[in-house]
Amino acid sequence: MQQKRNIQIIEWEDLDKRKFYSFGIFMTMTIRATVYPATLIRTRLQVQRGKSFYSGTFDAFFKILRAEGVRGLYRGFMVNTFTLISGQAYITTYELVRKYVSQYSEDNTVKSLVAGGSASLVAQSITVPIDVVSQQLMMQGQGQHLTRFRLTSDSGTGKPKRFFGQTRNIMAQIFAADGFRGFYRGYVASLLTYIPNSAVWHLPHVLFQQLLEGEFSQLSKLAPSDCPHLILQAMAGPLAAATASTVTNPMDVVRARVQVEGRTSVIETFKQLIKEEGTWGLTKGLSARIISSTPTAIVMVVGYETLKKLSLRPELVDSRHW
């Protein structure tokens, strides 16, 4: 009989919180900087009508690079870094809710689904205003004809202000047009995108954990008993990310259009998308989304598990295996 793996999940109470948050900020910043160009491309593809300017992910990448340079691929990145706050809020909520749910259920699937959904709810409450501003900045340059707001020029130089001057410029325009509510445009669409996305993403992760522990004996035979736990989880991560991206992409397209174009109705935006572009419109930006989510998933799984291992309280280091 195959020996059952001695895997113990590292829980919230096992962590040194100071190390956890310090390493977490560095990890999150690294991931965001790496995949941000794909996020920008995804947004432009989702907002454009049909293939009016970009024919696909790689076409968009090369056109932006030629016309706007590397800086064009990082439009809005500086303001987007404030989502580090929501990232830490997500992690904290996820771990605390897992701990709370464990009082009522020991099922890791239940704990992860509830924790993932709750964490997304908290994180999106912080993220949406940042996304609204950063997406308007992403659309400047070649995509500015698709958005309601355009950067105004500096009166002295005749050129658009740089960095946070551009952010203040866009924020002032949003507030003048929509008031404070404008910063939460698309909030419902964001929740309908990212709560299911988080839940779908965590499910394969948990099922793989159960596989490793031998609960699915036929599947567990596929993995050698000495195969590192972290490698197996890194294999499951991209599959989970691709699944979650595909399932939630239609609502992500709607979310992007609501936030960039200033629409008020998720349902009407969805209906117009189907009417103008058919069901194919629901897949817009999907390849760019998978391109960004797959490496993110690998880094998140490997990085997050490594982060938790590095953040263990000293007396527990030898008692947790991966």
Side-chain angles (χ1 to χ4, degrees), residues 46-295:
Q46 289 177 336
V47 174
Q48 75 170 355
R49 292 294 184 272
K51 296 183 178 181
S52 57
F53 198 83
Y54 305 118
S55 62
T57 300
F58 293 104
D59 179 60
F61 175 80
F62 289 115
K63 281 183 177 178
I64 294 170
L65 196 61
R66 284 196 299 267
E68 305 176 44
V70 175
R71 181 177 293 174
L73 294 169
Y74 281 89
R75 288 184 182 275
F77 178 71
M78 293 300 292
V79 67
N80 191 261
T81 59
F82 285 100
T83 55
L84 287 172
I85 300 170
S86 64
Q88 298 308 303
Y90 180 96
I91 292 172
T92 302
T93 304
Y94 179 80
E95 294 293 344
L96 289 177
V97 172
R98 268 186 62 91
K99 180 180 178 181
Y100 177 78
V101 174
S102 66
Q103 299 175 25
Y104 302 94
S105 174
E106 290 301 320
D107 189 325
N108 281 323
T109 302
V110 173
K111 288 193 288 186
S112 291
L113 287 175
V114 175
S118 302
S120 288
L121 177 62
V122 172
Q124 286 306 304
S125 298
I126 301 170
T127 299
V128 169
I130 300 170
D131 272 349
V132 168
V133 176
S134 65
Q135 284 181 140
Q136 294 294 339
L137 290 169
M138 287 179 190
M139 299 304 298
Q140 303 304 310
Q142 288 183 325
Q144 64 182 2
H145 62 288
L146 299 171
T147 181
R148 293 191 300 160
F149 308 113
R150 299 186 182 185
L151 292 171
T152 57
S153 301
D154 186 284
S155 57
T157 63
K159 297 181 179 180
K161 297 178 181 179
R162 292 187 177 182
F163 305 119
F164 290 110
Q166 295 183 356
T167 302
R168 290 195 302 271
N169 190 316
I170 291 295
M171 288 178 67
Q173 292 184 57
I174 293 172
F175 186 78
D178 302 324
F180 181 76
R181 291 180 61 183
F183 294 102
Y184 274 90
R185 186 176 296 279
Y187 179 65
V188 173
S190 292
L191 294 182
L192 293 175
T193 300
Y194 290 109
I195 290 180
N197 185 84
S198 181
V200 172
W201 194 95
H202 282 290
L203 183 57
H205 177 88
V206 174
L207 291 177
F208 218 85
Q209 180 72 38
Q210 293 175 335
L211 180 154
L212 292 173
E213 292 175 351
E215 292 184 24
F216 302 114
S217 58
Q218 295 303 315
L219 290 177
S220 63
K221 294 176 182 178
L222 298 175
S225 59
D226 60 346
C227 184
H229 173 235
L230 201 60
I231 291 178
L232 294 173
Q233 288 205 342
M235 293 168 60
L239 296 176
T243 301
S245 295
T246 303
V247 170
T248 61
N249 196 72
M251 186 53 65
D252 194 47
V253 176
V254 173
R255 176 198 62 79
R257 293 197 172 190
V258 168
Q259 292 180 333
V260 173
E261 297 176 355
R263 298 177 177 274
T264 57
S265 172
V266 171
I267 296 175
E268 289 303 318
T269 303
F270 181 81
K271 288 180 178 178
Q272 184 175 358
L273 176 64
I274 295 294
K275 181 180 178 180
E276 292 180 351
E277 304 187 43
T279 55
W280 185 253
L282 301 176
T283 66
K284 299 189 74 170
L286 178 58
S287 58
R289 198 163 180 230
I290 291 176
I291 287 171
S292 66
S293 66
T294 300

